[in-house]
Amino acid sequence: MQRYLKVLRLFWTAAIAAEMEYRINFIIAALSSLGNLVGSIFGLFLFYRTGYTFTGWSWEAALVVLGVFTLLQGFSATFLSPNLNRIVRHVQEGTLDFVLLKPIRSQFWLSCHTFSLWGIPDLIFGLLIIGYAGTKLSLGIDRYLFTLWPLFCGLVILYSLWFILGATSIWFVKIYNITEVLKGFLEAGRYPITGYPAVYRFFFTFILPVSFLTTIPAESMLGEIEFTSLLSAGLLAFVLFFISTQFWRFALRFYTSASS
């Protein structure tokens, strides 16, 4: 474990040094994130200004969901996109050979080799929205701490789904469109899952677990979650992460290196 932490520190130190060469990009990313956030809040406001409410969700409670969604966006932009989207390029250019030859787990290297500073504004904005909504709802610190577990499970679920799609590049070299489709489906987590018809709620819970990414962590913060939901989130995160590791090992059996 200490060896991996040391390697991770070296990875991220180099990534920060590289990203800081283009500091103006951080300002552009912050403005872009702010614009997206304003658009999201305005879209949510359009629902509530006419008196419509998502069943069981007040304006402040819906903001918690939006805050969690913004956090996930920041997590994706900071860690997932810079790493997992490069799997396709490694396969195309044959540089995956060099990754497999390194004395470290290839999945760890591909998942943590770099990160982007440009997703940090979304992380900050997400925390600010959650903090603002929590203040309005008079939530205690215990509610925030109680949310860490389902939020962690949501991050693991999102990572696992993304990595599994990235691993399919072993067979299908061009999968950029697939990851964009996944991002499109994840947009459904911007609003409480109860706002969708029953068919969509079923799909976003049991087929593509979007509800575990945003709605369930928000329900946990609001104290309206059942123990079975927490247990299901943990079980789903464990199963999907296990599947991602096994699927990667299975996919490597079909990988033909650049030298062969």
Side-chain angles (χ1 to χ4, degrees), residues 38-54 59 191:
V38 171
S40 299
I41 295 177
F42 180 72
L44 189 63
F45 171 74
L46 291 178
F47 285 104
Y48 282 84
R49 76 180 186 88
T50 58
Y52 172 85
T53 59
F54 296 104
W59 163 255
Y191 307 112

Side-chain angles (χ1 to χ4, degrees), residues 3-253:
R3 182 168 67 95
Y4 277 84
L5 291 176
K6 182 179 180 180
V7 171
L8 189 63
R9 179 176 61 83
L10 294 174
F11 280 166
W12 288 1
T13 300
I16 292 175
E19 294 284 1
M20 290 303 290
E21 294 181 7
Y22 309 96
R23 300 177 186 179
I24 190 65
N25 288 353
F26 183 81
I27 299 176
I28 296 174
L31 294 176
S32 177
S33 298
L34 181 60
N36 290 333
L37 178 61
V38 171
S40 299
I41 295 177
F42 180 72
L44 189 63
F45 171 74
L46 291 178
F47 285 104
Y48 282 84
R49 76 180 186 88
T50 58
Y52 172 85
T53 59
F54 296 104
T55 305
W57 294 84
S58 64
W59 163 255
E60 289 79 10
L63 281 179
V64 173
V65 177
L66 181 59
V68 175
F69 174 80
T70 306
L71 271 180
L72 289 177
Q73 275 192 323
F75 174 75
S76 300
T78 304
F79 299 102
L80 300 186
S81 293
N83 288 291
L84 303 187
N85 285 350
R86 293 187 180 183
I87 297 178
V88 179
R89 192 174 70 184
H90 286 305
V91 175
Q92 288 177 333
E93 300 177 357
T95 52
L96 184 59
D97 295 10
F98 304 116
V99 177
L100 298 177
L101 290 173
K102 296 181 185 298
I104 194 172
R105 287 182 178 272
S106 57
Q107 183 172 354
F108 174 82
W109 194 98
L110 292 169
S111 302
C112 305
H113 180 250
T114 187
F115 79 102
S116 175
L117 296 174
W118 320 138
I120 292 180
D122 276 331
L123 294 175
I124 296 174
F125 292 147
L127 291 174
L128 289 177
I129 294 175
I130 293 174
Y132 169 79
T135 301
K136 291 293 184 180
L137 293 169
S138 301
L139 301 181
I141 188 64
D142 57 318
R143 294 288 183 87
Y144 292 97
L145 295 176
F146 191 62
T147 308
L148 293 179
W149 169 248
L151 182 60
F152 171 76
C153 292
L155 296 179
V156 174
I157 291 170
L158 180 59
Y159 160 79
S160 301
L161 292 174
W162 205 312
F163 188 84
I164 290 171
L165 287 179
T168 60
S169 62
I170 299 293
W171 297 280
F172 312 104
V173 179
K174 296 182 179 180
I175 62 164
Y176 293 109
N177 292 336
I178 297 180
T179 56
E180 290 301 320
V181 170
L182 175 62
K183 289 181 183 179
F185 278 122
L186 295 179
E187 288 289 328
R190 192 186 300 269
Y191 307 112
I193 203 67
T194 57
Y196 296 95
V199 175
Y200 291 95
R201 291 201 300 270
F202 177 86
F203 178 83
F204 289 131
T205 301
F206 299 103
I207 307 300
L208 188 64
V210 174
S211 63
F212 287 91
L213 303 181
T214 56
T215 300
I216 287 183
E219 288 178 339
S220 177
M221 181 175 292
L222 299 172
E224 299 176 358
I225 193 172
E226 298 179 356
F227 177 76
T228 54
S229 296
L230 290 174
L231 184 62
S232 299
L235 181 61
L236 181 61
F238 173 79
V239 169
L240 285 178
F241 182 78
F242 177 77
I243 290 175
S244 71
T245 59
Q246 297 303 311
F247 185 73
W248 177 243
R249 294 178 181 176
F250 172 76
L252 288 179
R253 297 178 185 177

